[in-house]
Structures are given as C-alpha cells and as structure tokens.
Amino acid sequence: MSGFAGVEALESVPDAWHWSPIPGLDFAAALSRDRRHLFQINARDSYDAPLVHAILAAARESDAQILSSDALLRAIPEFNHPGRRFEVLAAARPGVHRYHEVQHPELQQVTWAIFPGYECEFASPARYSPEDARESFIRFLTPADLGREAVPFLRIRYDNTVTKGGTDGPDGVLAKPETLFRELKLLDGAPGSFVEFENFRGQVFRVEWKGFWELSEVSAGKGPRRISLDELLGFTENSLRT
C-alpha cells in the first residue's frame, strides 16, 4: 500500500490508508486484524471521511464474519452512522469486484470490497450465482456512490402476450423496481400475461391479468385475489423494502 501514489495513513483507524489519483475519485483501505486481507472502499464524487473511517473500523471489527464466509455478497447487520440511513455493512469477495485485477492481481486475491447498504438490497447469499453477484454489485448496488438510496433486491420473471416482452428460463433476471412497476402496468389488457417477482426475503408473488389484476402470494400459499392497480403498486413497493 505504501507504494501507491499519494497514499497517506489514516490516524483514526489502525493499518488504514487513503489515496486519490484524480479529483473526485477516492480510495480507502484497511488491513484485517490478522493483517492478511484488505478491506477497500471506492468513492466517486461522494467521499465522506467520517463515514469511510466508520466503515473501515466496522469491517475490522467484523472481519471474522466477513472472511469466514463463502458468500459472494453478504451483509453484516446493524451498521449505522449519524446523518445517514444505512443499515448494513456489505462485503463482496474477490471476483465479484475487480478492484486490482489488472494492475495488482496478487492484491486482488486478498481484497474484499466493502460499502454501506440497506437490508432490502441483499437476499440470502444462496440466491446469488457468480454472474448475479457481479451484476448486482456493478449495476444495482453502485458501491462507489456513498450517497446513494436503496435499490431493493428484485428477481423478476414475466411474459406479456401483447408487448411480447418477457424473460427466459425458470429463474428470471435481476432487475430494478422501475422494470417491475412498468411490467405490472403493462398487464392491463394483455390476457394470458403474468409477472412473478421475488424480494430480498425470498417471498415470491405472482400477478396475472384476468380482465383485472389478480395477485397471489406464491411462497405463502395465499391467493389469488383481485386487486386494483393502485393497491397493487403500493403492495409491491412495500414488499420490496420491508
């Protein structure tokens, strides 16, 4: 770490450093307590020194949980920081992130990406394939934005007989909530169409068009029941976040 251009030690966290190769792009990292692994934060136009120091300190305190797990992505609960709404400390294994893959491959193998997050963004680790974990990390979680809002975990499967849009395979795809809300609205007037979605708790819901919207809570064995569009959208928003 001492060889990185412009690196400086962080006095508030043991064995920790900060460096910024260009304005607006900041990196900070700390060694695990056994000094064999690195926990790294990347920040683009959002570096907040007190928050970053708190994340690094929390990662060191939780290093046994982070390093002993085979999870590709995992969330350590009960992380909070004054003035922020974050709920968890998140960690991504080497291979999910590619922070040092090109220039420092030996460092890449012992570096964990860490960042703050929200409970609703992380499903059970078993629900992530390597491809899903990488897509979630890069496309949805945007860990370098330390000022971001929550992007709930969402897996969706759908078929629309009118728009001809849909997903392939039984597992569906990861998506943003905006995609789900759009497809629920597009069910209107599309007989034989459906949308099925899974939230971070593993709850699965299915919506079909029967001349009206019909909701089934598949994982709980409830339904189907007739539901208005406004009620459906409110129910969906709540189910993704709580």
Side-chain angles (χ1 to χ4, degrees):
M1 299 301 299
S2 62
F4 283 13
V7 71
E8 58 184 7
L10 295 181
E11 296 182 0
S12 60
V13 183
D15 296 320
W17 303 269
H18 167 258
W19 66 105
S20 178
I22 59 174
L25 184 60
D26 291 83
F27 305 104
L31 291 179
S32 59
R33 286 177 290 184
D34 65 8
R35 300 175 62 84
R36 297 176 59 189
H37 303 89
L38 191 72
F39 300 124
Q40 181 170 323
I41 304 169
N42 291 4
R44 185 178 296 277
D45 298 322
S46 57
Y47 188 77
D48 177 335
L51 173 61
V52 167
H53 295 188
I55 296 168
L56 292 175
R60 283 177 60 88
E61 289 298 316
S62 304
D63 59 4
Q65 296 179 66
I66 296 171
L67 299 174
S68 65
S69 173
D70 291 330
L72 299 167
L73 273 175
R74 71 163 303 167
I76 309 297
E78 299 182 2
F79 174 80
N80 55 73
H81 187 73
R84 301 293 187 126
R85 294 185 292 173
F86 295 119
E87 301 165 327
V88 301
L89 173 69
R93 293 180 63 87
V96 175
H97 76 83
R98 293 172 173 170
Y99 286 176
H100 300 289
E101 189 173 69
V102 176
Q103 294 184 324
H104 303 282
E106 72 288 350
L107 185 59
Q108 165 72 13
Q109 297 306 312
V110 294
T111 298
W112 265 245
I114 57 169
F115 56 101
Y118 304 87
E119 182 184 6
C120 67
E121 296 180 310
F122 299 92
S124 165
R127 292 300 291 137
Y128 295 98
S129 67
E131 294 76 17
D132 285 343
R134 283 191 289 270
E135 181 179 20
S136 182
F137 179 80
I138 296 170
R139 182 179 173 194
F140 301 120
L141 297 175
T142 56
D145 180 3
L146 299 183
R148 67 189 181 84
E149 297 296 322
V151 179
F153 173 90
L154 170 63
R155 190 179 297 276
I156 183 172
R157 189 169 70 89
Y158 66 95
D159 181 67
N160 190 296
T161 59
V162 173
T163 68
K164 307 304 180 183
T167 56
D168 296 322
D171 293 331
V173 296
L174 298 181
K176 290 185 176 182
E178 291 84 350
T179 300
L180 173 58
F181 296 138
R182 183 190 70 231
E183 292 303 325
L184 290 174
K185 294 174 184 178
L186 287 173
L187 288 177
D188 189 358
S193 300
F194 75 91
V195 175
E196 191 171 278
F197 64 97
E198 176 187 345
N199 66 11
F200 72 107
R201 297 191 186 279
Q203 298 169 312
V204 178
F205 306 93
R206 184 180 176 93
V207 183
E208 298 182 62
W209 178 256
K210 298 292 183 65
F212 50 84
W213 285 271
E214 188 176 79
L215 171 67
S216 299
E217 300 184 41
V218 178
S219 55
K222 297 181 181 179
R225 64 184 175 93
R226 184 168 179 165
I227 189 170
S228 71
L229 178 59
D230 286 344
E231 184 184 3
L232 173 61
L233 296 178
F235 174 90
T236 301
E237 175 72 19
N238 186 64
S239 73
L240 293 180
R241 296 179 181 272
T242 61

